[in-house]
Structure formats: structure tokens, C-alpha cells
Amino acid sequence: MRWTQSFRAAARYTWTRVRRTWWLPAAVAGGLATGLLTVTQTVAETGVGVLQQAAQFLSFLQAGVMVLAGLAADPERDEDSAAVFWSWPADTAALVLGKLVGAAPLALLAALGAAVPPAVLMASLGRGAGLPWSSVLAEWGLLLAWLVPGALWAAAVGGALGLWLRGLPLFAAILAVWLAGVLGAYLFQALFNPFFPVAWLLQWTGSAMLPPDFEDADQAALGGDLPLLVAHRVLYLAAAGLVVTILALGYRRHRSAGAPVRWGLRLAAGALAVLTVAVAAGAAAVLYARADAGRQELLYYARQGVHPDGSPPPADQVPQFAVTRYQLDVDARRPPELRVDARMVLENRSRVPVQDPTFTLRHVFTVTRVGVEGREAAAVHWTRDRDWIRLDGLVLPPGGSATVTLSYQGKVDQWTLPGGYPWTRMASTSLPDLWHGAHVGPAGLSLPASYGWYPLAGRVTLARALAMPTPAGQTAIWLLEGPATTGSGTIRWPGPVPPEAPAPLEPASFSVTVRHLARYPVLSNLQDLDGPWGPDTRMAGTSTFLQLVGWPLAHVATPDADIWYPAADPGSRKNAAEWASWLREAYTWVGQEVRPRVVTLPLVGTARVDRLSIDPHSGVVMESGSAIMVPHQAMEAVLLGPRDAAGDVESCLVGVVGQLVAWGQPDLPPGPHPCDDLPGGPRAGALATWLRETPRAQVVAALSRLREIAAQRPLRASDLREVMGP
């Protein structure tokens, strides 16, 4: 009998036997049960979230597939006579390959069964959110790409065990190997503790590589990691083929076969081995490069000094000058490179001259030109020290001003280590995470003000290294950086530690042009926005800071709000509309009519870094991850602005006035209140009564006055008494 005929006969024989046993319906039923478990346990509202849960429960499917494949591969279970079947005049390699290929439909049917319920849920969520069928089909493709290789890998491992073991030893071996697949990544991490997540590659399911289901990530959130995700699944698919070919070559019941057949199997095994190693090495190299970029950034600031735990770093000094106008031409058409031409107007509002003013610009940027307009330009030259640029020779007299031009460029692709370095395990089941910070990419853009991507006035410390003790008695270094926000979420003084008594931050006038690839809208915290989809996006407004974001977002414009949200997550649109209503109501209580803009961004990657910022000057909210906003937060942002922390008087005021935004009435919940222990101040009940019984116009005037005071200094109890009157 020819080798190919033996292979076909063995495959057909095994498949016939599989169809006549309980194994086939068990595979389908087990797959459906796994799929139903996925859809009943997930809280996801997007298809990518459902995918993460399907990957997480894939381990249960793999356990069942290993058992079925082990039983199907057992040569002693062949019908009629095992001796007859295994004494055919054929090469054993053909029989081994035939048996494993004949049992492969068990894995495929189980994977398809596990895919059906999640696929239905994905379609329901996607079509309910208005996504096209092409987007739903892409999610289905990811689902199958995740489940099928996982099931085939389990079938190959189970079949390998089934060729040698029987009965209880077989099930014990399957359990041991399955536990190794489930827990092996965490065991490897515990033993070697690498600072980059190479342990992801050892996790059979790969669920740790996907954003958690409750974060409701969209397909765009996987864009940057899609090559890694595909590599992970190709790794296990190639490994399954490698196991099968090695079994065919090395099974002990060997009979001679033709040289071409044996040579072909060896060639296939070699090719699969090379593919497996290459894919694993390539993925590990990418993960290492990302983590090493975060490590190098951390060490860069650690060389400037490491501050011990419990000892806060010193605060920055308040600059004696202000930038009153920015004109920025931003070129993001060659990601990850960012080119900026900046023109700034400097003003000295103090009573003493300012000599050699200093700017802050992230060290990743290379400055190509610095100029000063005016007669004194020839006497000015610039020097750079890490993140700081000093204009030597420039003097700003009291009340004087100068116009400075600056051109610079650099690659913006920030990766950070949320667990510090060396990586600190937060829980017994946690693996290292990487977080994509500021970046300019083909699929998205993120430029927070705290990154220092545009010149900031003064000598601002953008990041500091902080030493933290670990449970093992070692010391890990953490990077303390922005964007630092107040309790209300408003971005305050740049840098991790603001001045203790900051001078009023006067808002600057911004005029910005962003040139980009027009693959996604580019948005900012400024009031005016023209042509967000590009390729040239123009924005203007007044604020104390500037941050840019770009992401494939859906847009809804109403008379009351401007909302940008991930199309796959309509729940974020509902939240954004509610946040906008709170913010709009808060502004009316200080006599302003504002049309808020709310931008919600999905989580990118697996590190849970949730952020929310509110610009009280423009009424723009930017949220990423799963950050939440509450009514009192909106009122605090509007009343107090970018002040670092609310004192006792501010807490008293916001605690009562915030009820107006939440419920329309200053009704206080039972229990203690910040006003109760305020020396010389009104009680909470008295303040609530005043808000309820005083005409609205008078309350608006009083709150507007308190807002003006809060912009200059912390509020005092006497301020409340004064606006409330006798």
C-alpha cells in the first residue's frame, strides 16, 4: 500500500470511528457550552470585549478537546483488532498522521461551537451600534483566529498523550499539561520576573494580551498590537503542526518508508520548527523593545535623582513670565515623527526684570532653530539642559514682551511600565503590562500637555523617579509623571508636583494647525475646531494648556453638546451626553452658557490607566479607559478651575452646590458634611437653605464672585459669609 493511501485510509478510518462514538456530539456540546459561558459571563458592550472573554474561557474548551483527542488517538481503541490495524503493510508515520488528522474535526467542531454564541453577541452589539457588516465580519475573523488555533493545539497535545498513555495515566497527564498551559505563564513570571511581558507567549489562550472586557475596547484599540496578536495565534498553530510531524517521525512503532516520504516529513518538521521559533522570537523582540523604551525613559529621569517613598519631590518654581499667545504648526504626517514650528509671545507681568527665560520641552525633541524677533535678537543665544531650553541674553523688563520662534522635531512613541522597574507584581495572577503613552501613529495620536510636546513656560519637571519598596524587600523605581489633575479632573500646573501656592495661571491664546494623514479626526481642548478629519485641522481658543488626541471616533452634534465616541461602544455616547448636561448646568450657575465637547477614548493595551480631564475654560472633557465623572466633579471644575486641591471651604461649597447639578435641588444626603466642621463658616443646612430660598440670579452672582476669588487664592469661610449676606 502506498504511503498516501495508508494515510487516507487511517484518516478515513479514524473519522468513521469518531462519528460513531459519543465523542463527536460531546465536542459540539462542549463547544456550545463554552460559548454560552462566554456570553453569559461577559459584561462587554463591544465585540472586542466579547473576544477577550472568549479567549479567557478558551482554556475550558482546550481541556475538553485534549481529552477527546487523547481518546481518539489511542491505538488500542481501534475497532475489530488493534493488531490488525497496526500490522498493515504501511509506514507508521502515515497511520499516526492519519489518526491525528482524522481526529482534527473534533477540535474544529468544538471551536466552531464555542464561536457561535459569541459571534451572535458580536453581531448583535455591532449592528446595534450601527457598525457595518464588514466590521462585524472582521470581529468574527478575529474570533475564529483565536479559537481554531487554540483548539488545534490542544488536539495535537492530547493526541500525542493518547498515543502512549491509557486510562487514568492519560487523564492525569492531560490535567497536568493543561494546568501547565493555564498557569505556566505565571510560574515563568514568578521564577524569572522579566520586566517585559514575554510570559504572554506562554499563555495558551493569550487572553492577557487583550484589553479586559469591561473596558469596552474597539477594533482600533487592537490596531497597533494586531501583528503581535496574529503572531501569538500563528505560534500555536505552527506548534500544533510541529507536534504532529514530530510524532509521525518519532513514534516507536517504526517501519521503513520510502526516503522521499521520510525526507518530506523531516523538511516539514524543520520548516515548522523554524516558523515557531521565528514567530516567538519576533514577538518577544517587539515586546522587549517596547518595554526597554519605557525602561530607558525611566532611567533617564532616575539619573537626575531618585526620591524615596514617603518623601515627596520638591515642587517647581513659578515662572516669572507667561506665554500669552501660541501659534503652532504641527506636522504629524510621518509617524512616529512630530515636527512643530512654534511662535510664542512672552510677557513679564512682574515688577522685576526677567533674565534668561527658560522653556520646557521634552528631551526626545531635537531643536533645529530658535529665534527672537526684534532688535535684541542678535544678542540672544540658546542653551539646552535635558528638558529645559534657556534663552541666554534675553531680558524682559517689567511689563515687557518678546516674540520667540522655535522649530523642533522628534519621534513620539512613549511606552511606560506601570509596574515600575524591576517590575513589581501587583497580584499573584498578574503579568507585566505596557502602557502606550504619548504617541503619534498611523492609527491614533495622543499628545497630552504634561508630556511637554510644546514649549511650556518656566523650568517644569515633566517626570520624576520615585523609589518604592516591594513586598520582597527590594526597591522598584516608578516614574511619576502627568497628566496631573485636580480632584475634579482639571489639568493643573504641569509636572508631577505643582507649586504649593501657585500664582494664578493666566490662560493663553492658542492658534494651532495640525497636518496629518486624515485617517482619523484630530481633536483638542480648545473651543474652535475646523476640519477635524483633515488633512489640515485648525483649532483655536483660550486655555492654560493644550492637548491633542486623534482616534477613529463617531461624532454626534446637538444644540447642547458636541460628542465624540467610539462607534462600537454606544454606551460611551450615553455617558458623554450625561456628562455634558452636568457640565452645561454647572456653567449656568456661574452665569455662562457653554456648549461642552466630550471626547471618550477606548483603552489601548492591557494596562488599566484611566484618565479624565476637564478644561474649565472651554468646557471640553477628554476621557480614556473607563474613567467616570460625577456631577460634583463638574461643579468643582467650573468653580475652582485648575487649583491643585480643594480646601475645607471649597469642599463645603462644592458638596452643597454640587447637588444643584445632580438633582436640581440642594438636598443634602444624611450623614456628616464638610461644612459641619468649618470654623467660622455656615453649616451645610444653612447653605442649602440659602441656595433654595434665594433668587437664582442672586445665587448666580454670588457663585460667580466666589469663582473669581478661587482663581486668585483659596476660599475662606468669610467669603461664604460675605456672598450669603446677613
Side-chain angles (χ1 to χ4, degrees), residues 211-412:
D213 66 327
F214 52 83
E215 294 286 359
D216 292 326
D218 60 0
Q219 292 182 40
L222 302 181
D225 289 333
L226 190 58
L228 277 176
L229 301 178
V230 172
H232 187 275
R233 306 321 293 161
V234 170
L235 170 64
Y236 281 91
L237 189 60
L242 180 60
V243 168
V244 171
T245 53
I246 290 177
L247 285 174
L249 286 169
Y251 193 74
R252 293 187 177 184
R253 297 182 183 181
H254 172 69
R255 293 186 215 52
S256 176
V261 173
R262 190 67 62 178
W263 180 86
L265 287 175
R266 292 193 185 100
L267 182 63
L272 288 170
V274 170
L275 177 61
T276 303
V277 173
V279 170
V286 171
L287 293 172
Y288 177 84
R290 291 180 177 182
D292 190 60
R295 183 177 67 94
Q296 295 296 338
E297 183 79 350
L298 190 152
L299 294 179
Y300 176 87
Y301 287 101
R303 295 187 189 101
Q304 303 175 26
V306 178
H307 299 272
D309 179 35
S311 175
D316 292 325
Q317 296 295 320
V318 179
Q320 294 180 311
F321 70 97
V323 179
T324 58
R325 180 170 179 80
Y326 284 97
Q327 288 181 297
L328 303 176
D329 190 295
V330 182
D331 189 347
R333 291 174 293 185
R334 290 174 290 275
E337 186 177 62
L338 185 73
R339 296 173 179 262
V340 180
D341 293 320
R343 188 173 185 269
M344 303 164 290
V345 176
L346 283 59
E347 289 189 8
N348 179 9
R349 298 178 178 177
S350 66
R351 299 180 180 180
V352 296
V354 175
Q355 295 184 345
D356 306 333
T358 299
F359 292 99
T360 299
L361 185 69
R362 196 83 173 196
H363 60 274
V364 300
F365 294 105
T366 300
V367 178
T368 57
R369 182 179 60 86
V370 177
V372 178
E373 298 179 3
R375 291 176 295 179
E376 69 279 8
V380 178
H381 64 278
W382 62 280
T383 58
R384 184 163 194 180
D385 177 22
R386 293 167 291 185
D387 288 338
W388 305 296
I389 300 174
R390 188 176 64 189
L391 301 180
D392 297 321
L394 180 61
V395 179
L396 298 176
S401 63
T403 301
V404 177
T405 58
L406 186 68
S407 297
Y408 53 93
Q409 63 188 46
K411 293 183 178 180
V412 183

Side-chain angles (χ1 to χ4, degrees), residues 314-316 464 484 492-502 644:
D316 292 325
R464 285 186 171 95
R492 44 84 168 151
W493 188 271
V497 181
E500 295 181 0
D644 179 53

Side-chain angles (χ1 to χ4, degrees), residues 45 563 569-582 598 600 627-629:
E45 296 183 3
I563 297 174
D569 184 14
S572 62
R573 172 183 172 181
K574 179 181 178 181
N575 293 337
E578 188 175 37
W579 297 350
S581 66
W582 293 339
V598 181
T600 64
I628 61 173
M629 179 177 169

Side-chain angles (χ1 to χ4, degrees), residues 489-572:
T490 58
I491 291 185
R492 44 84 168 151
W493 188 271
V497 181
E500 295 181 0
L505 287 179
E506 295 293 337
S509 174
F510 287 90
S511 178
V512 185
T513 300
V514 182
R515 310 181 195 280
H516 54 100
L517 297 175
R519 296 176 181 175
Y520 45 76
V522 174
L523 311 169
S524 76
N525 59 296
L526 301 178
Q527 293 93 333
D528 300 329
L529 180 65
D530 181 33
W533 285 96
D536 294 339
T537 300
R538 292 175 174 82
M539 49 195 72
T542 300
S543 182
T544 55
F545 65 92
L546 172 65
Q547 62 179 9
L548 302 181
V549 296
W551 197 258
L553 299 174
H555 181 217
V556 173
T558 68
D560 297 328
D562 193 31
I563 297 174
W564 297 81
Y565 68 99
D569 184 14
S572 62

Side-chain angles (χ1 to χ4, degrees), residues 446-712:
S446 175
L447 293 172
S450 61
Y451 184 71
W453 68 272
Y454 70 93
L456 301 172
R459 190 181 175 94
V460 179
T461 303
L462 296 177
R464 285 186 171 95
L466 190 65
M468 302 282 286
T470 67
Q474 301 175 342
T475 299
I477 302 176
W478 294 60
L479 191 65
L480 181 64
E481 64 174 3
T485 60
T486 67
S488 64
T490 58
I491 291 185
R492 44 84 168 151
W493 188 271
V497 181
E500 295 181 0
L505 287 179
E506 295 293 337
S509 174
F510 287 90
S511 178
V512 185
T513 300
V514 182
R515 310 181 195 280
H516 54 100
L517 297 175
R519 296 176 181 175
Y520 45 76
V522 174
L523 311 169
S524 76
N525 59 296
L526 301 178
Q527 293 93 333
D528 300 329
L529 180 65
D530 181 33
W533 285 96
D536 294 339
T537 300
R538 292 175 174 82
M539 49 195 72
T542 300
S543 182
T544 55
F545 65 92
L546 172 65
Q547 62 179 9
L548 302 181
V549 296
W551 197 258
L553 299 174
H555 181 217
V556 173
T558 68
D560 297 328
D562 193 31
I563 297 174
W564 297 81
Y565 68 99
D569 184 14
S572 62
R573 172 183 172 181
K574 179 181 178 181
N575 293 337
E578 188 175 37
W579 297 350
S581 66
W582 293 339
L583 200 57
R584 187 174 59 253
E585 178 68 13
Y587 275 106
T588 62
W589 284 102
V590 294
Q592 285 187 260
E593 294 293 332
V594 174
R595 183 172 176 263
R597 181 189 308 139
V598 181
V599 181
T600 64
L601 301 168
L603 176 73
V604 180
T606 59
R608 291 193 59 192
V609 182
D610 304 322
R611 290 182 168 177
L612 182 141
S613 66
I614 306 172
D615 188 348
H617 298 283
S618 60
V620 175
V621 179
M622 290 189 175
E623 178 264 345
S624 62
S626 57
I628 61 173
M629 179 177 169
V630 296
H632 290 72
Q633 201 172 359
M635 195 73 235
E636 183 178 348
V638 171
L639 276 178
L640 307 181
R643 186 165 297 283
D644 179 53
D648 294 337
V649 179
E650 286 91 344
S651 299
C652 168
L653 178 64
V654 172
V656 178
V657 180
Q659 296 295 106
L660 295 174
V661 176
W663 312 108
Q665 292 291 334
D667 298 327
L668 300 177
H673 196 274
C675 295
D676 296 339
D677 299 325
L678 186 63
R683 296 290 181 180
L687 185 56
T689 301
W690 175 77
L691 289 171
R692 187 182 300 109
E693 298 179 356
T694 304
R696 183 184 177 100
Q698 186 176 341
V699 173
V700 170
L703 295 179
S704 300
R705 173 57 184 159
L706 291 175
R707 187 189 188 200
E708 295 175 358
I709 298 173
Q712 304 297 322

